[in-house]
Amino acid sequence: MKPSVDQLEMTLIGPGYGESIVLHVGNGQWVVIDSCIESTTSLPAAITYLESLSVDPAEAVKLIVATHWHDDHVRGMGALVSSCPQAKFCCSSALNRVEFLSMVRRFEKDSTTKVGSGVREINNVFKILTERNELPIFAGRNQLVMRLDVDDTRDERECRIWTLSPSDEQYWKFLFEMASLMPMLKQTKYRCVPQQPNHLSLVSWIEMGEAAILLGADLEETKEAGTGWSVIVASAERPQGRASVLKIPHHGSANAHCDEVWHQMLVNQAHAVLTPWNRGAGLPTNDDIQRILELTRHAYSSARIQLPRARQRNPTVKRQLREMGAKIRSVEPPTGRISLRNGGISDPTTWTVELSPEACHLSQARPAG
Amino acid sequence: MRARPSSTASHVNRSSELGEETLGDHSWSAFFERYFSDVRTPNTGQEEGVNGDTGVVEKSNIEGTSPTKPSTHVLEFPERPEDFRRRDFRSFHPIQEWEGYVTDIFDQTFRARIVDLTAGGTVEKEEVDLPIADLTNEQREILAPGRVFRWAIGYLRSMAGTKTRHSKIVFRQLPQWTERELAEADEEARRMSADLTRNIADE
């Protein structure tokens, strides 16, 4: 069922080689942040979700934001942009630098491997935009990127969307990273593999009336001057007020946690959501879960962390893998969904939570034991 | 006289990247001298190699040609004589193939994202940790994040009929970035940047 005209909705979808957030910002207008592929349909998860609500993405989506640039985190972004011709595209201003575009074009040059170049999606997005003669919104710190009227009868009702990062320091760190990734003359071709952390992570703040949502993307608290959450919290230019919903950054990892965010930017017992990370030991860890649950009991995961299983294989192959000690893991567990809707104009800070079968309360996100 | 090298020249013959693989070798000098009386190989003490892809004898010293003029004779050879075929002929039959790229390197293992080619996959949906000890010295030298490889598990068969289970990793010998490609990419980037920001300049 679609949200009502004055309801603010945030739906988090993932994991699925990344995550995607779909927001209803009033008056049948939608915003999509990042993209992932629905594990069952192999289509952009945002498109699948909107169509399940009988919403036409081609008309309804007004803004698409990319907080990452690498294929691993924005699968299906090209198809999403292509399917939403009414939507403006927003990304970090660093992605407009000629150096970044050169890096992308170099990796894409005659890339014919099955694993791709690693920058195909962002390359496809920029190609679509130039073909449409459309300019993206290049965003930075404390920038109001969009205002949307949400009620034709009330002039004062509007939705405002801000980006709160990256900082100048993170911008320059990204340029240094790019220099290390840049393909050079006579170098054997390889796939682009970005480094961690994501220096260009775009943190977003969405406010509609009294309700506000903080989307933490993948921003980590690096403890380096001029970077991380501390810079955002301390900024006097950011939108003030407190959010009642948080998309927890970086899968709930300790690296991305900042106490000041919870104490200064969120209401008490804010609703908090995350997508898990199924590589290695998985995120969030038990310690992460405990830390988050001490801050709010309204915490949810879009899927349970599971020991990913590889598909059934030929017995010969299984025997060989066993002898080699090689373990193949699926990196695409079933995609789950968490939807939060507020009570509209009359009750903007009360949220209703709806979980898909794969999603759960955060306390149940990790296997017991 | 036209001749063409047989498919089992002095290099590994692959009908697919990791498919049928015949490991063969023979002496071109002896073959030339036995079957072509008018062909003599140079007295360098080294085996003449043939560029197996083109069949062109790179350093020709065929009698009757000018020693100072490079020769581009293309030689076509008849069916390879039986006694020139090695008896320990082996072929590899893959059962499962992946293409992958390296994401991380640890002390004993490297991690990779892989696409299941046998299942017709087009996206890297799986991840694996593989032992570095299984790589050759040459492979360890080129092991780096982003390196693309093919990995196959199958059977190695000998002429005698024995069958051995086998795992093979081959790092793709992708071409190098050329000056032309980099220049083209940089020009495309400049045009794209100009297209994406033209209104900012106008304002």
Side-chain angles (χ1 to χ4, degrees), chain A residues 17 96 105-106 114 189 191 279 311 313 329, chain B residues 99 113 116 124 126-127 146 186 188 197:
Chain A
Y17 231 117
N96 185 40
R105 291 306 307 155
R106 288 183 183 194
K114 288 281 186 192
K189 288 184 177 175
R191 189 187 194 273
R279 294 179 68 188
R311 58 171 65 115
R313 297 202 189 276
R329 303 174 289 273
Chain B
E99 181 166 285
R113 288 280 180 103
D116 189 335
E124 318 86 74
E126 293 174 309
E127 187 176 80
D186 293 348
E188 288 160 9
T197 54

mmCIF file with all atom_site columns, all heavy atoms in Angstrom, chain A residues 17 96 105-106 114 189 191 279 311 313 329, chain B residues 99 113 116 124 126-127 146 186 188 197:
data_model
loop_
_atom_site.group_PDB
_atom_site.id
_atom_site.type_symbol
_atom_site.label_atom_id
_atom_site.label_alt_id
_atom_site.label_comp_id
_atom_site.label_asym_id
_atom_site.label_entity_id
_atom_site.label_seq_id
_atom_site.pdbx_PDB_ins_code
_atom_site.Cartn_x
_atom_site.Cartn_y
_atom_site.Cartn_z
_atom_site.occupancy
_atom_site.B_iso_or_equiv
_atom_site.pdbx_formal_charge
_atom_site.auth_seq_id
_atom_site.auth_comp_id
_atom_site.auth_asym_id
_atom_site.auth_atom_id
_atom_site.pdbx_PDB_model_num
ATOM 1   N N   . TYR A 1 17  ? 24.629 -6.835  -2.682  1.00 0.00 ? 17  TYR A N   1
ATOM 2   C CA  . TYR A 1 17  ? 25.762 -6.167  -3.311  1.00 0.00 ? 17  TYR A CA  1
ATOM 3   C C   . TYR A 1 17  ? 25.577 -4.656  -3.117  1.00 0.00 ? 17  TYR A C   1
ATOM 4   O O   . TYR A 1 17  ? 25.516 -3.885  -4.066  1.00 0.00 ? 17  TYR A O   1
ATOM 5   C CB  . TYR A 1 17  ? 25.817 -6.475  -4.810  1.00 0.00 ? 17  TYR A CB  1
ATOM 6   C CG  . TYR A 1 17  ? 27.165 -6.968  -5.258  1.00 0.00 ? 17  TYR A CG  1
ATOM 7   C CD1 . TYR A 1 17  ? 27.339 -8.244  -5.777  1.00 0.00 ? 17  TYR A CD1 1
ATOM 8   C CD2 . TYR A 1 17  ? 28.267 -6.128  -5.145  1.00 0.00 ? 17  TYR A CD2 1
ATOM 9   C CE1 . TYR A 1 17  ? 28.574 -8.690  -6.173  1.00 0.00 ? 17  TYR A CE1 1
ATOM 10  C CE2 . TYR A 1 17  ? 29.504 -6.582  -5.539  1.00 0.00 ? 17  TYR A CE2 1
ATOM 11  C CZ  . TYR A 1 17  ? 29.652 -7.853  -6.057  1.00 0.00 ? 17  TYR A CZ  1
ATOM 12  O OH  . TYR A 1 17  ? 30.881 -8.295  -6.447  1.00 0.00 ? 17  TYR A OH  1
ATOM 13  N N   . ASN A 1 96  ? 33.256 14.987  -10.324 1.00 0.00 ? 96  ASN A N   1
ATOM 14  C CA  . ASN A 1 96  ? 33.296 15.776  -11.546 1.00 0.00 ? 96  ASN A CA  1
ATOM 15  C C   . ASN A 1 96  ? 34.722 16.181  -11.908 1.00 0.00 ? 96  ASN A C   1
ATOM 16  O O   . ASN A 1 96  ? 34.962 16.796  -12.943 1.00 0.00 ? 96  ASN A O   1
ATOM 17  C CB  . ASN A 1 96  ? 32.443 17.027  -11.398 1.00 0.00 ? 96  ASN A CB  1
ATOM 18  C CG  . ASN A 1 96  ? 32.377 17.789  -12.705 1.00 0.00 ? 96  ASN A CG  1
ATOM 19  O OD1 . ASN A 1 96  ? 32.276 17.193  -13.775 1.00 0.00 ? 96  ASN A OD1 1
ATOM 20  N ND2 . ASN A 1 96  ? 32.471 19.106  -12.647 1.00 0.00 ? 96  ASN A ND2 1
ATOM 21  N N   . ARG A 1 105 ? 37.350 6.417   -17.363 1.00 0.00 ? 105 ARG A N   1
ATOM 22  C CA  . ARG A 1 105 ? 37.446 6.114   -18.792 1.00 0.00 ? 105 ARG A CA  1
ATOM 23  C C   . ARG A 1 105 ? 38.618 5.175   -19.075 1.00 0.00 ? 105 ARG A C   1
ATOM 24  O O   . ARG A 1 105 ? 38.535 4.336   -19.965 1.00 0.00 ? 105 ARG A O   1
ATOM 25  C CB  . ARG A 1 105 ? 37.591 7.413   -19.601 1.00 0.00 ? 105 ARG A CB  1
ATOM 26  C CG  . ARG A 1 105 ? 36.342 8.315   -19.631 1.00 0.00 ? 105 ARG A CG  1
ATOM 27  C CD  . ARG A 1 105 ? 35.098 7.581   -20.092 1.00 0.00 ? 105 ARG A CD  1
ATOM 28  N NE  . ARG A 1 105 ? 35.329 6.909   -21.355 1.00 0.00 ? 105 ARG A NE  1
ATOM 29  C CZ  . ARG A 1 105 ? 34.664 5.838   -21.779 1.00 0.00 ? 105 ARG A CZ  1
ATOM 30  N NH1 . ARG A 1 105 ? 33.712 5.309   -21.017 1.00 0.00 ? 105 ARG A NH1 1
ATOM 31  N NH2 . ARG A 1 105 ? 34.927 5.280   -22.945 1.00 0.00 ? 105 ARG A NH2 1
ATOM 32  N N   . ARG A 1 106 ? 39.707 5.326   -18.356 1.00 0.00 ? 106 ARG A N   1
ATOM 33  C CA  . ARG A 1 106 ? 40.853 4.431   -18.566 1.00 0.00 ? 106 ARG A CA  1
ATOM 34  C C   . ARG A 1 106 ? 40.481 3.002   -18.189 1.00 0.00 ? 106 ARG A C   1
ATOM 35  O O   . ARG A 1 106 ? 40.781 2.064   -18.924 1.00 0.00 ? 106 ARG A O   1
ATOM 36  C CB  . ARG A 1 106 ? 42.049 4.887   -17.735 1.00 0.00 ? 106 ARG A CB  1
ATOM 37  C CG  . ARG A 1 106 ? 42.701 6.153   -18.267 1.00 0.00 ? 106 ARG A CG  1
ATOM 38  C CD  . ARG A 1 106 ? 43.934 6.523   -17.461 1.00 0.00 ? 106 ARG A CD  1
ATOM 39  N NE  . ARG A 1 106 ? 44.514 7.768   -17.938 1.00 0.00 ? 106 ARG A NE  1
ATOM 40  C CZ  . ARG A 1 106 ? 45.732 8.189   -17.611 1.00 0.00 ? 106 ARG A CZ  1
ATOM 41  N NH1 . ARG A 1 106 ? 46.498 7.460   -16.814 1.00 0.00 ? 106 ARG A NH1 1
ATOM 42  N NH2 . ARG A 1 106 ? 46.185 9.334   -18.079 1.00 0.00 ? 106 ARG A NH2 1
ATOM 43  N N   . LYS A 1 114 ? 34.756 -10.730 -17.669 1.00 0.00 ? 114 LYS A N   1
ATOM 44  C CA  . LYS A 1 114 ? 33.459 -10.978 -17.045 1.00 0.00 ? 114 LYS A CA  1
ATOM 45  C C   . LYS A 1 114 ? 33.307 -10.160 -15.763 1.00 0.00 ? 114 LYS A C   1
ATOM 46  O O   . LYS A 1 114 ? 32.209 -9.768  -15.385 1.00 0.00 ? 114 LYS A O   1
ATOM 47  C CB  . LYS A 1 114 ? 33.312 -12.468 -16.701 1.00 0.00 ? 114 LYS A CB  1
ATOM 48  C CG  . LYS A 1 114 ? 33.125 -13.361 -17.899 1.00 0.00 ? 114 LYS A CG  1
ATOM 49  C CD  . LYS A 1 114 ? 31.697 -13.300 -18.393 1.00 0.00 ? 114 LYS A CD  1
ATOM 50  C CE  . LYS A 1 114 ? 31.516 -14.336 -19.506 1.00 0.00 ? 114 LYS A CE  1
ATOM 51  N NZ  . LYS A 1 114 ? 30.261 -14.134 -20.213 1.00 0.00 ? 114 LYS A NZ  1
ATOM 52  N N   . LYS A 1 189 ? 46.351 -4.465  -17.625 1.00 0.00 ? 189 LYS A N   1
ATOM 53  C CA  . LYS A 1 189 ? 45.004 -4.067  -17.214 1.00 0.00 ? 189 LYS A CA  1
ATOM 54  C C   . LYS A 1 189 ? 44.530 -4.899  -16.032 1.00 0.00 ? 189 LYS A C   1
ATOM 55  O O   . LYS A 1 189 ? 44.802 -6.095  -15.930 1.00 0.00 ? 189 LYS A O   1
ATOM 56  C CB  . LYS A 1 189 ? 44.030 -4.198  -18.386 1.00 0.00 ? 189 LYS A CB  1
ATOM 57  C CG  . LYS A 1 189 ? 44.271 -3.126  -19.428 1.00 0.00 ? 189 LYS A CG  1
ATOM 58  C CD  . LYS A 1 189 ? 43.266 -3.160  -20.552 1.00 0.00 ? 189 LYS A CD  1
ATOM 59  C CE  . LYS A 1 189 ? 43.562 -2.004  -21.499 1.00 0.00 ? 189 LYS A CE  1
ATOM 60  N NZ  . LYS A 1 189 ? 42.727 -2.004  -22.678 1.00 0.00 ? 189 LYS A NZ  1
ATOM 61  N N   . ARG A 1 191 ? 41.243 -4.865  -12.689 1.00 0.00 ? 191 ARG A N   1
ATOM 62  C CA  . ARG A 1 191 ? 39.951 -4.322  -12.278 1.00 0.00 ? 191 ARG A CA  1
ATOM 63  C C   . ARG A 1 191 ? 40.176 -3.318  -11.153 1.00 0.00 ? 191 ARG A C   1
ATOM 64  O O   . ARG A 1 191 ? 40.995 -3.537  -10.254 1.00 0.00 ? 191 ARG A O   1
ATOM 65  C CB  . ARG A 1 191 ? 39.047 -5.438  -11.785 1.00 0.00 ? 191 ARG A CB  1
ATOM 66  C CG  . ARG A 1 191 ? 37.596 -4.994  -11.531 1.00 0.00 ? 191 ARG A CG  1
ATOM 67  C CD  . ARG A 1 191 ? 36.839 -6.130  -10.899 1.00 0.00 ? 191 ARG A CD  1
ATOM 68  N NE  . ARG A 1 191 ? 35.404 -5.961  -10.907 1.00 0.00 ? 191 ARG A NE  1
ATOM 69  C CZ  . ARG A 1 191 ? 34.693 -5.329  -9.985  1.00 0.00 ? 191 ARG A CZ  1
ATOM 70  N NH1 . ARG A 1 191 ? 35.292 -4.803  -8.955  1.00 0.00 ? 191 ARG A NH1 1
ATOM 71  N NH2 . ARG A 1 191 ? 33.366 -5.242  -10.076 1.00 0.00 ? 191 ARG A NH2 1
ATOM 72  N N   . ARG A 1 279 ? 30.553 -10.504 4.679   1.00 0.00 ? 279 ARG A N   1
ATOM 73  C CA  . ARG A 1 279 ? 31.903 -10.957 4.386   1.00 0.00 ? 279 ARG A CA  1
ATOM 74  C C   . ARG A 1 279 ? 32.673 -11.139 5.680   1.00 0.00 ? 279 ARG A C   1
ATOM 75  O O   . ARG A 1 279 ? 32.394 -10.471 6.680   1.00 0.00 ? 279 ARG A O   1
ATOM 76  C CB  . ARG A 1 279 ? 32.613 -9.951  3.505   1.00 0.00 ? 279 ARG A CB  1
ATOM 77  C CG  . ARG A 1 279 ? 32.017 -9.819  2.134   1.00 0.00 ? 279 ARG A CG  1
ATOM 78  C CD  . ARG A 1 279 ? 32.756 -8.783  1.341   1.00 0.00 ? 279 ARG A CD  1
ATOM 79  N NE  . ARG A 1 279 ? 34.114 -9.224  1.040   1.00 0.00 ? 279 ARG A NE  1
ATOM 80  C CZ  . ARG A 1 279 ? 35.021 -8.420  0.480   1.00 0.00 ? 279 ARG A CZ  1
ATOM 81  N NH1 . ARG A 1 279 ? 34.715 -7.188  0.198   1.00 0.00 ? 279 ARG A NH1 1
ATOM 82  N NH2 . ARG A 1 279 ? 36.225 -8.869  0.226   1.00 0.00 ? 279 ARG A NH2 1
ATOM 83  N N   . ARG A 1 311 ? 26.498 -22.438 -3.627  1.00 0.00 ? 311 ARG A N   1
ATOM 84  C CA  . ARG A 1 311 ? 25.513 -23.310 -4.260  1.00 0.00 ? 311 ARG A CA  1
ATOM 85  C C   . ARG A 1 311 ? 26.024 -24.737 -4.298  1.00 0.00 ? 311 ARG A C   1
ATOM 86  O O   . ARG A 1 311 ? 27.199 -24.995 -4.143  1.00 0.00 ? 311 ARG A O   1
ATOM 87  C CB  . ARG A 1 311 ? 25.224 -22.813 -5.660  1.00 0.00 ? 311 ARG A CB  1
ATOM 88  C CG  . ARG A 1 311 ? 26.414 -22.727 -6.567  1.00 0.00 ? 311 ARG A CG  1
ATOM 89  C CD  . ARG A 1 311 ? 25.965 -22.443 -7.958  1.00 0.00 ? 311 ARG A CD  1
ATOM 90  N NE  . ARG A 1 311 ? 25.337 -21.125 -8.041  1.00 0.00 ? 311 ARG A NE  1
ATOM 91  C CZ  . ARG A 1 311 ? 25.830 -20.119 -8.738  1.00 0.00 ? 311 ARG A CZ  1
ATOM 92  N NH1 . ARG A 1 311 ? 26.930 -20.280 -9.412  1.00 0.00 ? 311 ARG A NH1 1
ATOM 93  N NH2 . ARG A 1 311 ? 25.218 -18.980 -8.800  1.00 0.00 ? 311 ARG A NH2 1
ATOM 94  N N   . ARG A 1 313 ? 27.373 -28.110 -5.629  1.00 0.00 ? 313 ARG A N   1
ATOM 95  C CA  . ARG A 1 313 ? 28.308 -28.308 -6.728  1.00 0.00 ? 313 ARG A CA  1
ATOM 96  C C   . ARG A 1 313 ? 28.539 -29.775 -7.014  1.00 0.00 ? 313 ARG A C   1
ATOM 97  O O   . ARG A 1 313 ? 28.238 -30.645 -6.221  1.00 0.00 ? 313 ARG A O   1
ATOM 98  C CB  . ARG A 1 313 ? 29.660 -27.658 -6.372  1.00 0.00 ? 313 ARG A CB  1
ATOM 99  C CG  . ARG A 1 313 ? 29.531 -26.170 -6.205  1.00 0.00 ? 313 ARG A CG  1
ATOM 100 C CD  . ARG A 1 313 ? 30.854 -25.476 -6.382  1.00 0.00 ? 313 ARG A CD  1
ATOM 101 N NE  . ARG A 1 313 ? 30.753 -24.082 -6.011  1.00 0.00 ? 313 ARG A NE  1
ATOM 102 C CZ  . ARG A 1 313 ? 30.324 -23.129 -6.826  1.00 0.00 ? 313 ARG A CZ  1
ATOM 103 N NH1 . ARG A 1 313 ? 29.982 -23.414 -8.032  1.00 0.00 ? 313 ARG A NH1 1
ATOM 104 N NH2 . ARG A 1 313 ? 30.248 -21.891 -6.414  1.00 0.00 ? 313 ARG A NH2 1
ATOM 105 N N   . ARG A 1 329 ? 32.037 -18.614 -0.700  1.00 0.00 ? 329 ARG A N   1
ATOM 106 C CA  . ARG A 1 329 ? 30.901 -18.047 0.048   1.00 0.00 ? 329 ARG A CA  1
ATOM 107 C C   . ARG A 1 329 ? 30.065 -17.200 -0.911  1.00 0.00 ? 329 ARG A C   1
ATOM 108 O O   . ARG A 1 329 ? 30.624 -16.484 -1.753  1.00 0.00 ? 329 ARG A O   1
ATOM 109 C CB  . ARG A 1 329 ? 31.392 -17.126 1.160   1.00 0.00 ? 329 ARG A CB  1
ATOM 110 C CG  . ARG A 1 329 ? 32.345 -17.765 2.147   1.00 0.00 ? 329 ARG A CG  1
ATOM 111 C CD  . ARG A 1 329 ? 32.878 -16.723 3.129   1.00 0.00 ? 329 ARG A CD  1
ATOM 112 N NE  . ARG A 1 329 ? 33.808 -15.791 2.519   1.00 0.00 ? 329 ARG A NE  1
ATOM 113 C CZ  . ARG A 1 329 ? 35.113 -16.008 2.405   1.00 0.00 ? 329 ARG A CZ  1
ATOM 114 N NH1 . ARG A 1 329 ? 35.645 -17.135 2.825   1.00 0.00 ? 329 ARG A NH1 1
ATOM 115 N NH2 . ARG A 1 329 ? 35.898 -15.088 1.839   1.00 0.00 ? 329 ARG A NH2 1
ATOM 116 N N   . GLU B 2 99  ? 35.669 -16.938 -13.346 1.00 0.00 ? 99  GLU B N   1
ATOM 117 C CA  . GLU B 2 99  ? 36.573 -15.812 -13.562 1.00 0.00 ? 99  GLU B CA  1
ATOM 118 C C   . GLU B 2 99  ? 36.490 -14.956 -12.309 1.00 0.00 ? 99  GLU B C   1
ATOM 119 O O   . GLU B 2 99  ? 35.395 -14.795 -11.742 1.00 0.00 ? 99  GLU B O   1
ATOM 120 C CB  . GLU B 2 99  ? 36.212 -14.973 -14.781 1.00 0.00 ? 99  GLU B CB  1
ATOM 121 C CG  . GLU B 2 99  ? 37.195 -13.811 -14.986 1.00 0.00 ? 99  GLU B CG  1
ATOM 122 C CD  . GLU B 2 99  ? 37.071 -13.165 -16.355 1.00 0.00 ? 99  GLU B CD  1
ATOM 123 O OE1 . GLU B 2 99  ? 37.529 -13.753 -17.342 1.00 0.00 ? 99  GLU B OE1 1
ATOM 124 O OE2 . GLU B 2 99  ? 36.490 -12.072 -16.426 1.00 0.00 ? 99  GLU B OE2 1
ATOM 125 N N   . ARG B 2 113 ? 36.769 -12.187 -5.552  1.00 0.00 ? 113 ARG B N   1
ATOM 126 C CA  . ARG B 2 113 ? 35.362 -12.272 -5.960  1.00 0.00 ? 113 ARG B CA  1
ATOM 127 C C   . ARG B 2 113 ? 35.342 -13.034 -7.281  1.00 0.00 ? 113 ARG B C   1
ATOM 128 O O   . ARG B 2 113 ? 36.182 -12.774 -8.149  1.00 0.00 ? 113 ARG B O   1
ATOM 129 C CB  . ARG B 2 113 ? 34.783 -10.876 -6.190  1.00 0.00 ? 113 ARG B CB  1
ATOM 130 C CG  . ARG B 2 113 ? 34.559 -10.081 -4.939  1.00 0.00 ? 113 ARG B CG  1
ATOM 131 C CD  . ARG B 2 113 ? 33.289 -10.490 -4.266  1.00 0.00 ? 113 ARG B CD  1
ATOM 132 N NE  . ARG B 2 113 ? 33.056 -9.740  -3.053  1.00 0.00 ? 113 ARG B NE  1
ATOM 133 C CZ  . ARG B 2 113 ? 32.190 -8.748  -2.950  1.00 0.00 ? 113 ARG B CZ  1
ATOM 134 N NH1 . ARG B 2 113 ? 31.483 -8.381  -3.983  1.00 0.00 ? 113 ARG B NH1 1
ATOM 135 N NH2 . ARG B 2 113 ? 32.033 -8.131  -1.808  1.00 0.00 ? 113 ARG B NH2 1
ATOM 136 N N   . ASP B 2 116 ? 30.692 -17.346 -11.574 1.00 0.00 ? 116 ASP B N   1
ATOM 137 C CA  . ASP B 2 116 ? 30.576 -18.745 -11.949 1.00 0.00 ? 116 ASP B CA  1
ATOM 138 C C   . ASP B 2 116 ? 30.273 -18.837 -13.440 1.00 0.00 ? 116 ASP B C   1
ATOM 139 O O   . ASP B 2 116 ? 29.127 -18.677 -13.863 1.00 0.00 ? 116 ASP B O   1
ATOM 140 C CB  . ASP B 2 116 ? 29.472 -19.412 -11.105 1.00 0.00 ? 116 ASP B CB  1
ATOM 141 C CG  . ASP B 2 116 ? 29.428 -20.914 -11.277 1.00 0.00 ? 116 ASP B CG  1
ATOM 142 O OD1 . ASP B 2 116 ? 29.870 -21.402 -12.332 1.00 0.00 ? 116 ASP B OD1 1
ATOM 143 O OD2 . ASP B 2 116 ? 28.951 -21.613 -10.371 1.00 0.00 ? 116 ASP B OD2 1
ATOM 144 N N   . GLU B 2 124 ? 29.767 -11.102 -10.069 1.00 0.00 ? 124 GLU B N   1
ATOM 145 C CA  . GLU B 2 124 ? 30.524 -11.815 -9.043  1.00 0.00 ? 124 GLU B CA  1
ATOM 146 C C   . GLU B 2 124 ? 29.647 -12.000 -7.805  1.00 0.00 ? 124 GLU B C   1
ATOM 147 O O   . GLU B 2 124 ? 29.518 -11.100 -6.995  1.00 0.00 ? 124 GLU B O   1
ATOM 148 C CB  . GLU B 2 124 ? 31.771 -11.025 -8.610  1.00 0.00 ? 124 GLU B CB  1
ATOM 149 C CG  . GLU B 2 124 ? 32.542 -10.359 -9.729  1.00 0.00 ? 124 GLU B CG  1
ATOM 150 C CD  . GLU B 2 124 ? 32.003 -8.989  -10.075 1.00 0.00 ? 124 GLU B CD  1
ATOM 151 O OE1 . GLU B 2 124 ? 32.217 -8.045  -9.296  1.00 0.00 ? 124 GLU B OE1 1
ATOM 152 O OE2 . GLU B 2 124 ? 31.363 -8.877  -11.124 1.00 0.00 ? 124 GLU B OE2 1
ATOM 153 N N   . GLU B 2 126 ? 30.025 -14.642 -5.671  1.00 0.00 ? 126 GLU B N   1
ATOM 154 C CA  . GLU B 2 126 ? 30.680 -15.487 -4.686  1.00 0.00 ? 126 GLU B CA  1
ATOM 155 C C   . GLU B 2 126 ? 32.069 -14.935 -4.385  1.00 0.00 ? 126 GLU B C   1
ATOM 156 O O   . GLU B 2 126 ? 32.635 -14.160 -5.153  1.00 0.00 ? 126 GLU B O   1
ATOM 157 C CB  . GLU B 2 126 ? 30.783 -16.936 -5.198  1.00 0.00 ? 126 GLU B CB  1
ATOM 158 C CG  . GLU B 2 126 ? 29.433 -17.604 -5.334  1.00 0.00 ? 126 GLU B CG  1
ATOM 159 C CD  . GLU B 2 126 ? 29.513 -18.986 -5.969  1.00 0.00 ? 126 GLU B CD  1
ATOM 160 O OE1 . GLU B 2 126 ? 30.134 -19.117 -7.032  1.00 0.00 ? 126 GLU B OE1 1
ATOM 161 O OE2 . GLU B 2 126 ? 28.954 -19.917 -5.388  1.00 0.00 ? 126 GLU B OE2 1
ATOM 162 N N   . GLU B 2 127 ? 32.571 -15.396 -3.252  1.00 0.00 ? 127 GLU B N   1
ATOM 163 C CA  . GLU B 2 127 ? 33.873 -14.952 -2.799  1.00 0.00 ? 127 GLU B CA  1
ATOM 164 C C   . GLU B 2 127 ? 34.625 -16.181 -2.301  1.00 0.00 ? 127 GLU B C   1
ATOM 165 O O   . GLU B 2 127 ? 34.019 -17.117 -1.777  1.00 0.00 ? 127 GLU B O   1
ATOM 166 C CB  . GLU B 2 127 ? 33.678 -13.959 -1.645  1.00 0.00 ? 127 GLU B CB  1
ATOM 167 C CG  . GLU B 2 127 ? 34.924 -13.284 -1.166  1.00 0.00 ? 127 GLU B CG  1
ATOM 168 C CD  . GLU B 2 127 ? 34.571 -12.267 -0.101  1.00 0.00 ? 127 GLU B CD  1
ATOM 169 O OE1 . GLU B 2 127 ? 34.372 -12.687 1.048   1.00 0.00 ? 127 GLU B OE1 1
ATOM 170 O OE2 . GLU B 2 127 ? 34.512 -11.073 -0.418  1.00 0.00 ? 127 GLU B OE2 1
ATOM 171 N N   . GLY B 2 146 ? 42.935 -6.496  -7.806  1.00 0.00 ? 146 GLY B N   1
ATOM 172 C CA  . GLY B 2 146 ? 42.472 -6.117  -9.136  1.00 0.00 ? 146 GLY B CA  1
ATOM 173 C C   . GLY B 2 146 ? 42.900 -7.073  -10.236 1.00 0.00 ? 146 GLY B C   1
ATOM 174 O O   . GLY B 2 146 ? 42.339 -7.049  -11.334 1.00 0.00 ? 146 GLY B O   1
ATOM 175 N N   . ASP B 2 186 ? 41.569 10.163  -21.623 1.00 0.00 ? 186 ASP B N   1
ATOM 176 C CA  . ASP B 2 186 ? 41.697 11.495  -21.026 1.00 0.00 ? 186 ASP B CA  1
ATOM 177 C C   . ASP B 2 186 ? 40.889 12.525  -21.832 1.00 0.00 ? 186 ASP B C   1
ATOM 178 O O   . ASP B 2 186 ? 40.283 13.437  -21.253 1.00 0.00 ? 186 ASP B O   1
ATOM 179 C CB  . ASP B 2 186 ? 43.161 11.893  -20.954 1.00 0.00 ? 186 ASP B CB  1
ATOM 180 C CG  . ASP B 2 186 ? 43.936 11.027  -19.972 1.00 0.00 ? 186 ASP B CG  1
ATOM 181 O OD1 . ASP B 2 186 ? 43.298 10.280  -19.194 1.00 0.00 ? 186 ASP B OD1 1
ATOM 182 O OD2 . ASP B 2 186 ? 45.181 11.085  -19.974 1.00 0.00 ? 186 ASP B OD2 1
ATOM 183 N N   . GLU B 2 188 ? 38.191 11.858  -23.626 1.00 0.00 ? 188 GLU B N   1
ATOM 184 C CA  . GLU B 2 188 ? 36.783 11.578  -23.322 1.00 0.00 ? 188 GLU B CA  1
ATOM 185 C C   . GLU B 2 188 ? 36.395 12.163  -21.964 1.00 0.00 ? 188 GLU B C   1
ATOM 186 O O   . GLU B 2 188 ? 35.304 12.699  -21.791 1.00 0.00 ? 188 GLU B O   1
ATOM 187 C CB  . GLU B 2 188 ? 36.535 10.056  -23.320 1.00 0.00 ? 188 GLU B CB  1
ATOM 188 C CG  . GLU B 2 188 ? 36.563 9.434   -24.702 1.00 0.00 ? 188 GLU B CG  1
ATOM 189 C CD  . GLU B 2 188 ? 36.800 7.924   -24.652 1.00 0.00 ? 188 GLU B CD  1
ATOM 190 O OE1 . GLU B 2 188 ? 36.768 7.345   -23.543 1.00 0.00 ? 188 GLU B OE1 1
ATOM 191 O OE2 . GLU B 2 188 ? 37.031 7.321   -25.723 1.00 0.00 ? 188 GLU B OE2 1
ATOM 192 N N   . THR B 2 197 ? 29.353 20.166  -16.657 1.00 0.00 ? 197 THR B N   1
ATOM 193 C CA  . THR B 2 197 ? 29.436 21.408  -15.892 1.00 0.00 ? 197 THR B CA  1
ATOM 194 C C   . THR B 2 197 ? 29.212 22.643  -16.739 1.00 0.00 ? 197 THR B C   1
ATOM 195 O O   . THR B 2 197 ? 29.450 23.747  -16.289 1.00 0.00 ? 197 THR B O   1
ATOM 196 C CB  . THR B 2 197 ? 30.809 21.530  -15.214 1.00 0.00 ? 197 THR B CB  1
ATOM 197 O OG1 . THR B 2 197 ? 31.833 21.380  -16.219 1.00 0.00 ? 197 THR B OG1 1
ATOM 198 C CG2 . THR B 2 197 ? 31.000 20.499  -14.136 1.00 0.00 ? 197 THR B CG2 1
#
